[in-house]
Amino acid sequence: MENLKPSSRKVIPIVAVAADAVQISSSASSDVKMGSIYQAQKKIYPRSVGGLFSKWRWAMVFITQLVFYGLPWLEWGQRQAVLFDLEARRFYILGLVLYPQDFIYLAGILVISALSLFLFTAVAGRQWCGYACPQTVYTEIFLWLEKITEGDRSARLRLDASPMSSNKFMRKAAKQFLWIALSLWTGFTFVGYFMPIKELGMNFIRFNMGPWETFWVFFYGFATYGNAGYMREQVCKYMCPYARFQSAMFDKDTLIVTYDAVRGEPRGSRSKKADPASLTLGSCIDCTLCVQVCPTGIDIRKGLQYECISCAACIDACDTVMDKMNYPRGLIRYSTQNALAKGWARPQILSRIFRPRVLTYAVILLLITISLFASLALRVPFKVDVIRDRASLARIVSGGKIENVYRLQVMNATESAQDYRITATGLPGLILASEGTISVKATESRWIPVTLQLPYDAASAGSHEIHFEVESLNASGHVTEKSVFLVPR
Ligand code: SF4
Ligand code: SF4
């Protein structure tokens, strides 16, 4: 055991004793191969690239960030259009006011999002990862900030290798300033989805933010800074669960970023004027640009790898090279495994989109989406909860009547004040002895004490099922809630 103490050995020698077995040895003999069980992390310096897919990626950056940063500032009547008010236990999504009892709708939205992801992955691979995932989007923005402060790939490599100087310090400091400012703004915006963002902004300006608000602004900001600034491809490779199970949604007709090895090999450098056929070379000039632009640092020429996030930066880079060499574009392209193996053209690839797996996902997605919208359209615009008053189970009051007391919570899910009529049924002679009509303000909920009375001897001793009927007097809608009426012995 002594030999395994961390202080005693830095590297654990691993000896292969069978095809799938290893043995940890305490002494390293000359024929034992030494190796660390962890691979040292190599920093990746992705080169920036222009092209069709780069434009699409930036378009997605603008669209997603416009929505994320802009939505909390959007007003809907007198309130924030999208607000998940956890303290008041109310969610506002444009015209919808949702209570915790409406959680089923949020679950429905999550199911639709997940199914959409499955559907698009089955059709076109990891498009979400390559274009819209926050990790990709923020890495793209952070890389851009890095480029404007430290320069492109070769300049960054030189800067990192050079000793500290005033120029290096200024560039690094400018990058850190921009990264931290963007991260804090992102954290602030995130918290603005959970509390009114204008109020949060005023508190921030007056240095008057509460401890939880401060914690979440800095926590989310720190997560953005760490993930997009430093972790980058590590998040996709080692932390993201979707990267792990997305292969289950792939088949041989799924669009992936592929290198056409038949056309590209054997690879090799040559002059622009040389005829590759006479040199017995393929179209790949082995410039490694496709590797240099890859944000995950892989070589797509080695085939489909789980690290590939389908960002298509290598397609743009290779197309640029093909243009310069006057070769046809598409040595690296979106294609399918079947198309590559069988030499299919685009119409045959497109015809395989409508295959059973895709149709199954599409039908399920359509059914759930229709059900969700139908149920939202038909939902009663208020909710009712009933709890019995635990202080007094049942009592005899004047006139010889048995009285039970309850508390009703009426939740108005509309944007205007509403009147409701309360009645109770279930026992002959059961009457409401408290206020029968109540008002609840727009989007508010109100607790109302409700008293029911029953003539003595109208029911046997014990517990009897009754129903509260609550009816909206302004809008349509009727809710029935079950409870019990206790008759003492
Ligand atoms: S960018 Fe194209 S030509 Fe250059 S190494 Fe990659 S595949 Fe070959
Ligand atoms: S291999 Fe190409 S598509 Fe895949 S992550 Fe790298 S650059 Fe993006």
Side-chain angles (χ1 to χ4, degrees):
M1 289 307 288
E2 204 180 81
N3 287 331
L4 293 175
K5 280 181 188 166
S7 58
S8 63
R9 310 195 68 80
K10 282 209 171 77
V11 179
I12 300 171
I14 299 174
V15 185
V17 293
D20 57 351
V22 293
Q23 172 188 321
I24 297 174
S25 164
S26 60
S27 63
S29 59
S30 58
D31 58 340
V32 171
K33 230 179 170 181
M34 305 288 288
S36 168
I37 56 174
Y38 296 107
Q39 191 183 11
Q41 188 50 46
K42 241 174 100 182
K43 187 175 173 188
I44 295 173
Y45 293 82
R47 180 192 281 269
S48 63
V49 63
L52 175 69
F53 297 105
S54 168
K55 287 193 183 114
W56 271 109
R57 244 186 351 271
W58 273 105
M60 290 307 292
V61 168
F62 282 119
I63 293 168
T64 52
Q65 297 317 290
L66 199 66
V67 171
F68 176 70
Y69 291 115
L71 211 50
W73 297 98
L74 201 69
E75 296 278 310
W76 191 272
Q78 300 299 310
R79 63 168 169 85
Q80 192 168 312
V82 177
L83 178 65
F84 304 105
D85 192 341
L86 298 178
E87 201 177 341
R89 306 214 292 168
R90 221 156 298 157
F91 291 174
Y92 303 96
I93 305 172
L94 304 180
L96 270 181
V97 182
L98 301 174
Y99 285 87
Q101 289 84 343
D102 292 316
F103 186 76
I104 184 78
Y105 297 115
L106 292 178
I109 291 169
L110 287 179
V111 170
I112 287 172
S113 308
L115 274 170
S116 306
L117 197 61
F118 294 172
L119 175 64
F120 293 126
T121 305
V123 173
R126 296 176 69 178
Q127 299 301 306
W128 163 259
C129 300
Y131 296 88
C133 171
Q135 180 61 23
T136 303
V137 167
Y138 285 104
T139 301
E140 193 83 25
I141 301 173
F142 272 56
L143 272 170
W144 176 69
L145 294 175
E146 197 167 63
K147 188 182 159 196
I148 60 173
T149 49
E150 295 185 359
D152 203 1
R153 183 174 191 269
S154 45
R156 293 204 303 274
L157 279 163
R158 275 198 308 276
L159 191 73
D160 279 0
S162 68
M164 183 52 80
S165 63
S166 58
N167 173 50
K168 183 171 179 175
F169 178 79
M170 290 303 289
R171 286 179 180 279
K172 294 272 175 199
K175 179 183 84 173
Q176 290 297 332
F177 174 77
L178 292 174
W179 278 10
I180 291 169
L182 179 69
S183 302
L184 284 179
W185 185 248
T186 306
F188 172 82
T189 305
F190 175 75
V191 176
Y193 278 90
F194 297 93
M195 73 167 290
I197 198 160
K198 288 182 181 166
E199 196 184 308
L200 182 69
M202 292 310 290
N203 291 346
F204 180 74
I205 291 165
R206 293 179 188 138
F207 293 103
N208 194 26
M209 289 208 309
W212 280 112
E213 294 149 22
T214 311
F215 170 78
W216 283 111
V217 167
F218 279 91
F219 180 80
Y220 198 80
F222 178 72
T224 307
Y225 174 83
N227 288 342
Y230 293 98
M231 305 282 285
R232 294 190 178 168
E233 78 286 351
Q234 308 291 312
V235 176
C236 308
K237 278 158 94 171
Y238 306 119
M239 291 164 70
C240 175
Y242 174 56
R244 295 280 163 275
F245 69 79
Q246 44 94 23
S247 59
M249 286 163 260
F250 274 39
D251 59 25
K252 291 194 168 161
D253 289 311
T254 299
L255 271 185
I256 48 173
V257 175
T258 55
Y259 166 70
D260 190 341
V262 173
R263 196 190 129 187
E265 301 296 321
R267 67 187 75 163
S269 59
R270 81 290 309 258
S271 101
K272 189 178 166 185
K273 290 180 194 138
D275 175 18
S278 63
L279 297 171
T280 60
L281 288 174
S283 294
C284 175
I285 65 166
D286 208 12
C287 62
T288 72
L289 267 187
C290 52
V291 183
Q292 292 177 36
V293 297
C294 179
T296 61
I298 59 169
D299 185 347
I300 193 65
R301 294 173 298 171
K302 291 179 182 164
L304 178 63
Q305 292 148 75
Y306 84 95
E307 294 98 331
C308 175
I309 57 167
S310 249
C311 68
C314 52
I315 299 183
D316 280 337
C318 192
D319 279 349
T320 317
V321 176
M322 294 296 108
D323 288 349
K324 281 188 187 145
M325 297 298 292
N326 287 325
Y327 297 167
R329 287 181 162 206
L331 177 58
I332 302 178
R333 61 180 183 270
Y334 276 113
S335 188
T336 66
Q337 285 173 287
N338 268 340
L340 275 187
K342 298 173 187 171
W344 285 351
R346 186 174 293 183
Q348 285 164 295
I349 297 174
L350 293 179
S351 70
R352 290 297 300 151
I353 288 178
F354 302 103
R355 54 194 190 276
R357 170 195 290 250
V358 173
L359 292 176
T360 308
Y361 285 144
V363 169
I364 297 173
L365 180 62
L366 192 69
L367 288 177
I368 295 181
T369 308
I370 291 173
S371 313
L372 182 80
F373 279 100
S375 115
L376 271 173
L378 297 173
R379 87 184 177 128
V380 178
F382 64 96
K383 309 253 163 278
V384 178
D385 261 358
V386 181
I387 56 169
R388 287 189 53 83
D389 186 351
R390 296 186 192 282
S392 76
L393 289 179
R395 62 188 175 204
I396 312 281
V397 292
S398 61
K401 288 181 173 158
I402 303 163
E403 186 175 276
N404 279 203
V405 181
Y406 307 80
R407 291 181 76 215
L408 258 65
Q409 186 187 23
V410 181
M411 294 162 263
N412 181 0
T414 70
E415 305 270 357
S416 54
Q418 300 286 333
D419 295 322
Y420 302 97
R421 182 186 298 125
I422 303 168
T423 51
T425 58
L427 285 171
L430 186 69
I431 56 158
L432 191 78
S434 54
E435 204 182 352
T437 305
I438 58 144
S439 289
V440 183
K441 287 184 194 160
T443 74
E444 297 275 303
S445 73
R446 193 178 150 193
W447 283 100
I448 304 116
V450 174
T451 308
L452 295 184
Q453 290 181 348
L454 188 71
Y456 199 74
D457 286 341
S460 56
S463 166
H464 300 271
E465 185 176 311
I466 57 158
H467 293 96
F468 284 98
E469 315 274 348
V470 182
E471 183 190 0
S472 172
L473 298 178
N474 312 91
S476 61
H478 179 269
V479 170
T480 303
E481 275 295 311
K482 198 167 81 173
S483 188
V484 289
F485 190 94
L486 296 180
V487 178
R489 291 179 195 283

